[in-house]
Amino acid sequence: MTAEPLETTDSWARLSVRNRGRIMGRAANEIQLDSSTLVDLCRSDQRVHDLETISAELLPLCAALDFLHKNAAKILRSRACGILGRPSWLWGVRSRVYRRPHGTVLILGPWNYPLFLVGVQTAQALVAGNRVLLKPAPGCEASTTRLAECFFRAGVSREQLTVLDSSVSAATEAIESGVDLVVLTGGVQTGRKVMAQLAQTLTPSIMELSGCDAVIVLPDADLQLVAQSIDFGLNFNGGATCIGPRRLFVLQSMAAPVIEAICDRLADRESVVVHPSARESAAQSIERALAGGACNLIGDGTFDAALLRQSGVMRPVVLDGVASTDDIANADIFAPVISIVRIDYIEQAVAAVNRCDLRLAASVFGPPAIAMQLALQLEVGNVTVNDLIAPTADPRLPFGGRGQSGLGSTRGQEGLLAMTTPLVISQRRGSFTPHLDRPTESQQKLVSGILTMLHAPKWGARLRGLRDIMRSVKK
C-alpha cells in the first residue's frame, strides 16, 4: 500500500494539514506491516524481549500517528481574534493567529527507545510542515533507516525526511549548516553540549533529558502493586528507561513490609545487560553509596562493580540506608537500581522531589484521592498514580521535564504546537486611527480617560474617566 511520494519540500508545505495527517495515518499502516522486521532490528543486549518493542515502541507510535491523523488539522488550525474580547481602543482591528512550521528540524534520537521517541517527534515535525533531519543514536542506524522507509512508503518524500549518520559530527555539522529547531532526547551532559552550540545562533530547542524519578508510597497502599511496579520499572528495557524508578520514599513505620514485598518480588530476577554508555556512571554511583553506608538488599548483598564495568551484567540493586541528599538519590542512572529513602512524614518526600535537579516524572501509590492531592504538589513533568511508565505513552499527553530534565514538550497537542511558530496577521478596518495623530494635550487626556474608565478600581473614578473622554472628544 505504497503512496506516491511528494517531490519537493515546497509541495509538502502546500499540502493541507489534513492531508499531511492522512499520510501519518498511512505511516501507522506501514509500520504495522513492517513490524516483524522492526522488532528484529531492535533486538539488543538491553532489548531481549520482543514484547517490549511491540508494547513500548510500535503500539504507542502507531497510536500517536493515528492521533495526528485525526487531530492535527484541528490543533493547528488558525484562530480568529475578532470583535469578541477585543480591547475597545483597538476598534476596527481584527486579527488571526496562524501556525507555521519552523523550517528545518533536527531530531537527535536516543538509543534506549529508537522507534517510539524519534518516530513521534518526526511525525509531529512533518505534519506541522517542517523538513526533518533525523540523526539516530549509534547502534540504532538500521532501525531508524527502516522506520524512515515506512514514512517514505506512506507518501513522505526523501527530500522532506533525511536520515543522517549516527556520528556526533553529523549533529554538529547539521547545526553549523543552519537548522531552525533542534529536538534532543538524551542525557543532561549531552543537553548542555548541544545548548552551548545552539547559543551561538540562538537556535531554539526542545530537550527531553534524564530523570531521577521518585516513587512515593502512602499509608494503605497496595504493597503487592508497589512491588510489582518496581519490578517492572527496574527491569523493563534492561533498566534503560528515563522515567524508571530510581528512589522510593516510604515512611519509617511502613519500611519493613514495603522492602519485604519488593525484595520477595525481585528475588528470582535474572541479570540484565546495562548499555555500555551507562555502565561506568552506574558502577560509580553504587560504589559511592555502599561506601557511604548504604546496603544492597538483594541476594547476598554484594555488588560486582568489576563485572558491570567489563560486561554490563548486573542483577537489580535495592539500596537501603540512603538519604534524600545522597548523590545516588539525585543521579540519572540507566540501570536497574533503586534507593530506599526512609522518611518521618510524607511532606519530606514532596520537598525532596521538588528540590532535585532531575524532575522528569514521579509515581504515587496509595488511596486515589489522597494520592491525587499529593501528586498536585510535585513539581515534575508527569505523575502517575498507582502505576508507572505506561500511562505516559497516551498519545494525547505532552511529555517533558522540569529543572535539568529538559525544556519544552514533545508528544500530544503541546508537542505538536511546539513544532510550529505563531504567525499573527492583524487587519485594520475603518478610519479610527487616533494613535497615528501627533501627540496633543487633548489626546493625552483622552487616552488617560480611557485607561481610568476601563481599569480604575472604583466606579466613581471610572465615571470621571468617562467624563474626561467626552471632554477630550468635544475639543
Side-chain angles (χ1 to χ4, degrees):
M1 53 182 302
T2 303
E4 189 67 25
L6 299 163
E7 295 181 355
T8 67
T9 56
D10 288 340
S11 61
W12 179 264
R14 286 196 298 269
L15 275 179
S16 67
V17 177
R18 190 174 301 279
N19 283 332
R20 294 197 293 260
R22 290 192 182 104
I23 291 174
M24 296 304 109
R26 291 202 294 268
N29 302 147
E30 294 295 339
I31 288 170
Q32 187 280 320
L33 292 172
D34 208 21
S35 58
S36 295
T37 301
L38 290 169
V39 167
D40 291 343
L41 293 175
C42 284
R43 290 196 191 102
S44 66
D45 289 336
Q46 290 71 50
R47 185 69 59 77
V48 296
H49 300 295
D50 292 346
L51 174 62
E52 293 184 349
T53 300
I54 299 171
S55 62
E57 301 231 55
L58 299 182
L59 193 59
L61 172 55
C62 289
L65 293 170
D66 190 52
F67 172 82
L68 293 174
H69 176 202
K70 295 176 180 176
N71 297 283
K74 178 174 62 177
I75 294 170
L76 297 179
R77 67 186 176 190
S78 63
R79 174 170 58 89
C81 299
I83 297 174
L84 188 63
R86 178 187 62 193
S88 59
W89 41 271
L90 284 176
W91 180 267
V93 176
R94 297 189 182 188
S95 304
R96 183 170 285 272
V97 182
Y98 299 86
R99 306 303 307 192
R100 289 291 182 263
H102 283 277
T104 299
V105 176
L106 171 63
I107 296 176
L108 306 177
W111 53 264
N112 58 335
Y113 289 95
L115 298 178
F116 173 45
L117 299 183
V118 300
V120 175
Q121 293 162 5
T122 297
Q124 288 188 317
L126 288 172
V127 82
N130 297 286
R131 176 177 177 243
V132 174
L133 303 178
L134 175 55
K135 191 203 85 68
C140 302
E141 298 87 351
S143 61
T144 302
T145 300
R146 192 77 180 195
L147 176 64
E149 290 294 334
C150 293
F151 282 106
F152 297 147
R153 291 196 300 272
V156 176
S157 73
R158 294 181 184 272
E159 290 77 14
Q160 201 69 29
L161 171 59
T162 302
V163 179
L164 307 177
D165 67 66
S166 60
S167 65
V168 173
S169 62
T172 57
E173 290 170 6
I175 294 173
E176 289 173 357
S177 68
V179 295
D180 301 291
L181 175 69
V182 174
V183 182
L184 165 68
T185 304
V188 173
Q189 296 303 323
T190 301
R192 290 195 181 106
K193 293 176 183 178
V194 172
M195 286 189 73
Q197 185 179 4
L198 297 179
Q200 304 306 310
T201 53
L202 297 180
T203 302
S205 64
I206 301 170
M207 297 203 173
E208 181 184 318
L209 305 179
S210 307
C212 183
D213 296 336
V215 174
I216 301 176
V217 182
L218 298 175
D220 298 323
D222 183 339
L223 300 190
Q224 293 307 311
L225 176 62
V226 172
Q228 186 179 10
S229 300
I230 296 299
D231 180 21
F232 164 74
L234 286 182
N235 293 281
F236 191 76
N237 203 35
T241 299
C242 59
I243 53 175
R246 295 292 167 249
R247 48 200 174 135
L248 184 145
F249 293 91
V250 60
L251 293 169
Q252 278 280 9
S253 59
M254 298 176 56
V258 170
I259 290 172
E260 181 181 5
I262 292 173
C263 291
D264 286 347
R265 179 78 186 189
L266 293 174
D268 59 350
R269 264 292 183 178
E270 297 179 353
S271 300
V272 302
V273 179
V274 176
H275 192 271
S277 65
R279 293 172 187 175
E280 182 59 33
S281 61
Q284 288 184 8
S285 294
I286 298 170
E287 283 178 325
R288 284 196 297 266
L290 293 172
C295 60
N296 180 17
L297 302 178
I298 299 300
D300 60 4
T302 61
F303 168 66
D304 194 337
L307 181 63
L308 172 57
R309 287 187 170 98
Q310 292 168 7
S311 64
V313 174
M314 67 172 288
R315 292 191 64 202
V317 170
V318 178
L319 296 173
D320 194 13
V322 175
S324 63
T325 55
D326 289 351
D327 289 344
I328 199 166
N330 296 275
D332 52 335
I333 302 174
F334 277 71
V337 182
I338 189 168
S339 299
I340 306 294
V341 181
R342 300 177 184 233
I343 54 177
D344 296 316
Y345 45 90
I346 293 297
E347 289 75 14
Q348 287 179 310
V350 175
V353 169
N354 292 346
R355 70 169 173 260
C356 180
D357 290 334
L358 303 173
R359 306 194 302 277
L360 191 54
S363 298
V364 182
F365 288 83
I370 301 174
M372 281 294 298
Q373 292 177 2
L374 182 64
L376 290 169
Q377 301 177 47
L378 301 178
E379 298 173 3
V380 300
N382 297 74
V383 182
T384 54
V385 174
N386 292 322
D387 200 352
L388 46 71
I389 300 176
T392 64
D394 187 330
R396 300 169 298 174
L397 303 180
F399 189 83
R402 302 280 299 274
Q404 295 182 21
S405 284
L407 53 121
S409 295
T410 61
R411 297 185 245 162
Q413 176 175 312
E414 290 80 0
L416 178 56
L417 289 172
M419 294 293 182
T420 67
T421 183
L423 168 65
V424 180
I425 299 178
S426 301
Q427 182 180 8
R428 167 76 66 179
R429 298 181 181 181
S431 58
F432 180 70
T433 56
H435 56 286
L436 300 181
D437 297 336
R438 293 184 177 180
T440 65
E441 181 180 353
S442 177
Q443 188 184 49
Q444 179 176 328
K445 289 183 178 180
L446 172 64
V447 175
S448 180
I450 292 174
L451 176 64
T452 302
M453 184 190 72
L454 293 177
H455 302 291
K458 296 183 179 180
W459 283 105
R462 293 194 178 199
L463 289 174
R464 287 194 297 273
L466 177 61
R467 180 191 62 195
D468 292 342
I469 293 172
M470 296 177 67
R471 287 176 177 175
S472 298
V473 170
K474 288 180 180 180
K475 290 182 180 182

